[in-house]
């Protein structure tokens, strides 16, 4: 074909990108395009914004990096604002394209957009969709996606035994651009998020686990540092429940969510590490976690919209509370339970929270406060730098007891805090007002009497909130986990 438009979505990379590779193989000239679709911003139906400043910043940097990489190969990234189904046909007509190549995503809104684009293209312009974002290719699954097991372990075992991970593709050497491309500026953070306040987000917080610079180049550098320079993969399973510092886990999630890194490329690097350094349970465990990621992606293909129902994919009947004030205290990190507050403040300041933290704050919201799990999921959607629809809503549904596991997954946040933050270093990092407290009080400040409060310079209700409910009582009721 003469010309192909490549519609970049959540695949902001040139290495192992089948959309770009196929377009370059099949067309004489290729026009890479990114659409700033207004439907990605604004408020969600649950209140929080769909796209907050942290992720908008990461996306902007990823786009800048993508544009540079394309330019190095002779290509040029066009950036246009508007609905995909109106921008893409206009570009296709302007450049006389024969096809639009694009990533396909399993989420409902994303699929609707693909269908709208297909409908809006003239009959002689094909929409060529490629499955690009999982470790295992959807067409290689041993069981068709609509019949896969809804429980992770049997699904994983079947896939591990019956499916090969395909080899990652190299980045194209040349990306032949059409003549005279009008590329347009990369939008500001505020323009991407649709909120001026996003542009004025305070600068980076030096307590952040990583600066999380966006883009494929930074993603590859992160892997280089975590696997090869720091040699941390050999202890991944041991350390992955940590909460402080860059290297207790891979921190690949924002790069995977925006498609700056492909899971197949990471898989190949794990294999290389296993050949050159060590192959152990820890090295396998990273692939195990990537299998969790795949699991939720395929679950979304299977169940679609049902994931967003209050009772989730199993139609569980629960009496969810809708108390805005309580919800806001949780979101702001003002509950009076330091382990929850520290995690929420880390999220709000940096866009990231450890997996241990996510499980605990989610359980606190749905089990201790009994607030609708979808409110929590929507708040994470706004804040997370690594937000991904399937990983986020799938994990929230799971935690809310309406997802892929019928067991009770509640966490006793008080015992979790003592187990995973024994010396209260994490809590004191994110709640500096509690920095002088000994660990026991840092985790349970309500146990201080007036004299102790005066001795430690922390007056409850002034320096730090009083507990919003009786946590000791609630967790005695809920039991230990
Ligand atoms: C309530 C809740 C919401 C979450 N929302 C998201 C989200 O929007 N986006 C997201 O990427 N992850 C989400 N997770 C999963 C997990 O917490 C993050 O992937 C992980 O903390 C990211 O840090 P990391 O890259 O260092 O992880 P690592 O421990 O290094 O794991 C490697 C990779 O495996 C994948 N992974 C690990 N755990 C999970 C999991 N439980 N589910 C799906 N994939 C996983 C991620 O892609 C991750 O980058 C959520 C978890 C919970 C409990």
């Amino acid at each position: 074909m003469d010309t192909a438009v490549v519609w970049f979505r959540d695949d902001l990379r040139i290495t192992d990108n089948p959309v770009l590779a196929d377009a370059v193989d099949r067309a004489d000239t290729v026009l890479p395009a990114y659409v700033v679709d207004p439907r990605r911003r604004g408020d969600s139906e649950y209140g929080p914004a769909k796209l907050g400043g942290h992720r908008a910043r990461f996306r902007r940097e990823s786009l800048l990096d993508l544009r540079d990489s394309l330019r190095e190969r002779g290509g040029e990234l066009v950036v246009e604002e508007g609905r995909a189904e109106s921008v893409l046909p206009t570009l296709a007509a302007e450049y006389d394209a024969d096809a639009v190549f694009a990533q396909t995503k399993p989420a409902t809104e994303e699929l609707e957009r693909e269908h709208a684009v297909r409908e809006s293209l003239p009959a002689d312009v094909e929409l060529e969709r490629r499955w690009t974002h999982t470790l295992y290719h959807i067409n290689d699954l041993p069981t068709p996606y609509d019949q896969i097991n809804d429980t992770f372990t049997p699904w994983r075992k079947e896939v591990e035994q019956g499916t090969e991970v395909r080899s990652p593709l190299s980045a194209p050497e040349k990306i032949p651009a059409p003549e005279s491309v009008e590329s347009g500026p990369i939008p500001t953070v505020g323009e991407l998020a649709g909120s001026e306040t996003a542009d004025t987000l305070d600068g980076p917080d030096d307590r952040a686990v990583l600066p999380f610079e966006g883009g494929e180049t930074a993603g590859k550098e992160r892997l280089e540092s975590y696997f090869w320079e720091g040699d941390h993969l050999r202890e991944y399973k041991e350390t992955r429940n940590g909460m402080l510092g860059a290297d207790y886990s891979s921190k690949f999630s924002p790069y995977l969510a925006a498609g700056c890194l492909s899971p197949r490329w990471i898989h190949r690097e794990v294999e290389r590490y296993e050949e050159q350094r060590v192959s152990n349970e820890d090295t396998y465990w990273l692939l195990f976690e990537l299998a969790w990621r795949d699991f939720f992606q395929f679950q979304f293909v299977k169940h679609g919209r049902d994931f967003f129902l209050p009772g989730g994919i199993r139609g569980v009947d629960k009496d969810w509370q809708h108390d805005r004030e309580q919800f806001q205290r949780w979101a702001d990190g003002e509950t009076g339970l330091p382990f929850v507050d520290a995690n929420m403040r880390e999220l709000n300041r940096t866009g990231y929270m450890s997996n241990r933290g996510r499980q605990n704050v989610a359980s606190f919201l749905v089990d201790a406060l009994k607030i609708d799990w979808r409110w929590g999921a929507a708040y994470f959607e706004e804040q997370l730098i690594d937000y991904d629809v399937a990983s986020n809503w799938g994990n929230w549904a799971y935690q809310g007891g309406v997802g892929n596991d019928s067991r009770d997954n509640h966490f006793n946040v008080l015992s979790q805090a003592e187990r995973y933050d024994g010396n209260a270093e994490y809590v004191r990092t994110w709640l500096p007002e509690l920095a002088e407290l000994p660990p026991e009080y840092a985790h349970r400040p309500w146990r201080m009497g007036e004299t102790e409060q005066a001795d430690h310079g922390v007056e409850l209700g002034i320096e730090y909130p009083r507990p919003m409910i009786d946590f000791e009582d609630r967790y005695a009721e809920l039991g230990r986990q």
Side-chain angles (χ1 to χ4, degrees), residues 236 249-253 289 352 355 358 386 388 392 395:
Y236 166 71
S249 65
S250 73
K251 314 295 185 310
F252 292 160
S253 53
E289 294 300 338
Y352 184 81
N355 186 56
R358 294 180 205 207
D386 61 18
D388 168 88
N392 188 58
N395 273 292

